[in-house]
Amino acid sequence: MARPQPTTFDKVKTVAENRRARYDYAIDEKFEAGIALTGTEVKSLRFGEGTIAESYADVQDGEVWLINANIPEFSHGNRFNHEARRPRKLLLHAREINKMRGAVERKGMTLVPLSVYFNSRGKAKVELALAKGKKQHDKRASEKARDWKREQGRLLRDRG
């Protein structure tokens, strides 16, 4: 029997975070995916380099690919250094891939990477989310709610 998937991910070292994604998208469901990397890519990530701000994931031929993620070339890499913005394969279970493909095709959702990190076992992982794009009025409403929460915290702190 398969090991149950954890609901929270054990992030030991966060390398890159897509903070804009939570503002631009309504996050529905999160997945943890492994990344197929070369040696110099892992070394660059361990040095804390890499961005996923403009990246997204796509389901093609039963596989999920991370597209437009930037992992800069390793400074001490030799002629076998990697290409910075190449598409990288994400490692997921087949049922997770099918779930993603169905949501993207039928519901018009997007696969957005939220963060790249190393877990407790030292493996590079991507936190991937099924998300729906927010309209401008949705963004304003969520910003208003966030500001109100902050103001409530201030009022409670000043009172007590």
Side-chain angles (χ1 to χ4, degrees), residues 125-155:
K125 301 286 183 177
V126 175
E127 186 178 5
L128 203 59
L130 268 174
K132 194 145 186 87
K134 284 186 185 177
K135 303 277 190 255
Q136 192 64 39
H137 59 86
D138 294 334
K139 292 179 188 178
R140 276 192 291 255
S142 60
E143 199 169 322
K144 196 173 185 180
R146 186 178 62 234
D147 289 345
W148 172 239
K149 279 259 198 240
R150 192 177 297 134
E151 188 62 32
Q152 277 181 327
R154 281 193 197 119
L155 290 172

Side-chain angles (χ1 to χ4, degrees), residues 50-108:
T51 56
I52 56 167
E54 315 90 34
S55 64
Y56 62 96
D58 191 24
V59 181
Q60 299 169 354
D61 302 325
E63 296 177 336
V64 181
W65 295 86
L66 183 63
I67 298 171
N68 209 22
N70 183 27
I71 300 175
E73 289 187 350
F74 183 56
S75 58
H76 294 82
N78 54 14
R79 65 177 183 231
F80 300 112
N81 222 336
H82 65 276
E83 191 179 323
R85 287 195 179 266
R86 74 177 183 87
R88 292 167 178 91
K89 186 176 178 181
L90 297 180
L91 310 171
L92 291 152
H93 292 283
R95 74 173 173 278
E96 291 175 328
I97 294 172
N98 291 335
K99 190 179 215 178
M100 289 177 189
R101 182 177 48 230
V104 168
E105 287 175 358
R106 284 191 291 279
K107 298 178 187 172

Side-chain angles (χ1 to χ4, degrees), residues 8-16 32 45-46 115-125 127:
T8 58
F9 309 123
D10 54 335
K11 297 181 183 180
V12 173
K13 180 186 176 191
T14 302
V15 177
E32 181 181 44
L45 286 177
R46 288 215 187 273
S115 64
V116 175
Y117 59 93
F118 286 98
N119 67 2
S120 58
R121 295 172 60 193
K123 305 287 183 190
K125 301 286 183 177
E127 186 178 5

Side-chain angles (χ1 to χ4, degrees), residues 11-66:
K11 297 181 183 180
V12 173
K13 180 186 176 191
T14 302
V15 177
E17 199 169 8
N18 189 355
R19 296 179 64 201
R20 183 92 183 152
R22 296 185 196 281
Y23 178 74
D24 288 335
Y25 298 96
I27 307 297
D28 186 36
E29 192 173 355
K30 295 179 187 175
F31 299 93
E32 181 181 44
I35 321 170
L37 298 171
T38 63
T40 54
E41 288 173 326
V42 175
K43 289 178 181 182
S44 280
L45 286 177
R46 288 215 187 273
F47 276 110
E49 298 174 352
T51 56
I52 56 167
E54 315 90 34
S55 64
Y56 62 96
D58 191 24
V59 181
Q60 299 169 354
D61 302 325
E63 296 177 336
V64 181
W65 295 86
L66 183 63

